[in-house]
Amino acid sequence: MKGWQQFWRQLSLFGLLALVLTGCGKDELSALKPSGPVAAMQYDLMKLSSAIMIGVFLVVMLIFTYVLIRYRKRPGQQGIPKQVEGNHALEILWTVIPFLLLIVMAIPTVTTGFALHKEYPKEEALQVKVTAHQFWWEFEYPDLGVTTAQDLVLPVGKKVQFHVTSADVIHAFWIPALGGKIDTNPGQENKIWLQADKPGIYYGKCAELCGASHALMDFKVEVMDQAAFDKWANAMKGVQSKEPAVALSPGAKQGQEIFNKSCLGCHAIAGKGGKLGPNLTNFADRERVAGILAHTPENVAKWLKDPQKEKPGNNMPNLNLDDAQVKALVEYMSTLSVKEKDQ
């Protein structure tokens, strides 16, 4: 097989593969399917700029093709064709057209930028403080007295003013279906507002290379109606204002003792514990372990046995727990549910 034939065969194969892969992914993790006003405004800008770029490309290619055909060298042609220059009309035209296109793009871009930069007070928007860690997310609702991690809960149809920062290195807070990303910088607070117009489950990611497990720094966004959100917030606030409940079963009670001795210094449960690790008040209600693993007893056990294996570079140490201790901890952590406490 000739080299050029092999080249075109490989190019066709990779082209087909790229086309097929464009259909992969999740609807809830796509900036091309906006589910809120911020994402919709940004999507409109993408469509506008793409339409202009495609239009310019097509016009240039048409002119290029015309020139190639119209002024090609013909049989019997001698010397260099007559050179044409100094056409003032054409020079003005190809100067004015790009200028007009830039204005068409600049006006909606600037107006959208001002709209997205607006800051909403607590009377108009739910206030949420976001703190990025290697490699997890902390969410605090200061006006509600609620702190959680990994699962961000929002009311549908209401503006949310985010105050984002970082506890260590630069990360980037991004919920593709709801709006564009914003950097979370240590020692600095950035602000962004978002709104979800459709209830359901969305997903967020870190969009700034932040270490070994950057690709595993995911979080879930659950959008619910206002009544359900108020119920969740009241349940979280009611639990976090009290001491942790005493476990009932022997295995769970043993797990609670291990947790209080080895884990409570970093992880908070209800109104007690540290803030170095994620708040685990509603751990049993989450659908993911460490933001990446399906929430099953087996995966919780895998995480407790060797957290570095599941998420390299994270700050949780290996406690060298034996199988009995892991089993007891898993049983205890399965009781950490505000839904059960609220029923």
Side-chain angles (χ1 to χ4, degrees):
M1 183 183 296
K2 295 182 179 180
W4 66 270
Q5 291 177 320
Q6 185 176 4
F7 169 77
W8 284 111
R9 176 172 293 185
Q10 292 176 346
L11 183 62
S12 301
L13 178 62
F14 282 111
L16 178 61
L17 181 63
L19 180 63
V20 172
L21 290 176
T22 57
C24 298
K26 299 179 179 179
D27 291 347
E28 303 85 1
L29 192 58
S30 174
L32 302 181
K33 293 189 176 182
S35 297
V38 174
M41 286 187 282
Q42 294 171 341
Y43 183 54
D44 289 342
L45 287 180
M46 285 191 286
K47 289 192 295 183
L48 175 63
S49 59
S50 297
I52 291 175
M53 288 187 290
I54 292 173
V56 170
F57 175 78
L58 291 177
V59 170
V60 171
M61 292 307 297
L62 286 173
I63 296 175
F64 180 69
T65 303
Y66 169 77
V67 171
L68 283 179
I69 297 174
R70 174 70 176 79
Y71 298 102
R72 71 187 186 280
K73 184 176 181 180
R74 292 171 170 79
Q77 179 177 322
Q78 300 294 326
I80 300 176
K82 180 182 177 180
Q83 302 298 295
V84 179
E85 59 180 298
N87 190 314
H88 296 301
L90 285 178
E91 291 176 351
I92 293 173
L93 186 64
W94 62 53
T95 301
V96 171
I97 290 178
F99 181 73
L100 293 177
L101 291 177
L102 286 176
I103 291 178
V104 170
M105 292 181 61
I107 292 176
T109 299
V110 172
T111 55
T112 300
F114 278 110
L116 299 185
H117 187 67
K118 185 176 179 180
E119 182 179 349
Y120 291 91
K122 63 181 181 180
E123 292 78 17
E124 300 179 44
L126 174 68
Q127 306 292 308
V128 178
K129 180 181 178 182
V130 179
T131 304
H133 302 257
Q134 288 180 311
F135 300 94
W136 59 280
W137 297 90
E138 180 182 4
F139 305 113
E140 182 179 354
Y141 304 74
D143 298 326
L144 303 179
V146 171
T147 300
T148 185
Q150 294 302 95
D151 285 13
L152 174 64
V153 182
L154 303 176
V156 68
K158 184 173 182 178
K159 290 182 175 62
V160 182
Q161 181 70 56
F162 291 98
H163 305 258
V164 301
T165 187
S166 172
D168 35 57
V169 301
I170 298 176
H171 303 272
F173 176 73
W174 187 31
I175 310 173
L178 301 185
K181 68 175 184 176
I182 186 169
D183 283 348
T184 66
N185 302 318
Q188 177 182 334
E189 182 180 271
N190 288 332
K191 298 176 182 179
I192 184 175
W193 73 270
L194 299 173
Q195 179 178 317
D197 288 340
K198 304 173 185 177
I201 302 298
Y202 303 90
Y203 295 94
K205 300 185 72 68
C206 176
E208 184 79 27
L209 183 60
C210 57
S213 288
H214 158 69
L216 304 178
M217 193 170 166
D218 299 351
F219 62 95
K220 186 185 84 170
V221 183
E222 184 173 1
V223 179
M224 54 184 66
D225 61 60
Q226 187 65 52
F229 175 80
D230 291 339
K231 183 178 180 181
W232 172 84
N234 289 333
M236 287 289 291
K237 184 176 181 180
V239 172
Q240 292 184 345
S241 63
K242 304 174 184 177
E243 290 290 312
V246 178
L248 300 178
S249 71
K253 188 172 183 179
Q254 180 186 358
Q256 186 180 43
E257 292 173 355
I258 297 171
F259 189 95
N260 290 342
K261 179 180 179 181
S262 303
C263 311
L264 204 58
C266 296
H267 297 277
I269 292 181
K272 184 178 180 181
K275 294 187 64 175
L276 294 178
N279 187 296
L280 301 179
T281 299
N282 61 339
F283 176 80
D285 299 332
R286 300 172 189 170
E287 67 175 27
R288 296 284 177 182
V289 178
I292 52 171
L293 301 173
H295 196 137
T296 64
E298 294 77 16
N299 283 336
V300 176
K302 284 169 59 178
W303 174 257
L304 293 173
K305 287 288 288 186
D306 192 354
Q308 293 299 323
K309 181 180 179 182
E310 306 304 325
K311 187 179 275 192
N314 79 88
N315 293 322
M316 180 169 169
N318 189 331
L319 299 177
N320 299 312
L321 302 169
D322 59 38
D323 291 341
Q325 291 174 316
V326 169
K327 182 179 179 181
L329 272 173
V330 171
E331 186 173 347
Y332 167 63
M333 294 175 71
S334 68
T335 67
L336 302 177
S337 169
V338 298
K339 291 181 180 179
E340 293 178 357
K341 296 176 188 301
D342 188 52
Q343 291 174 350

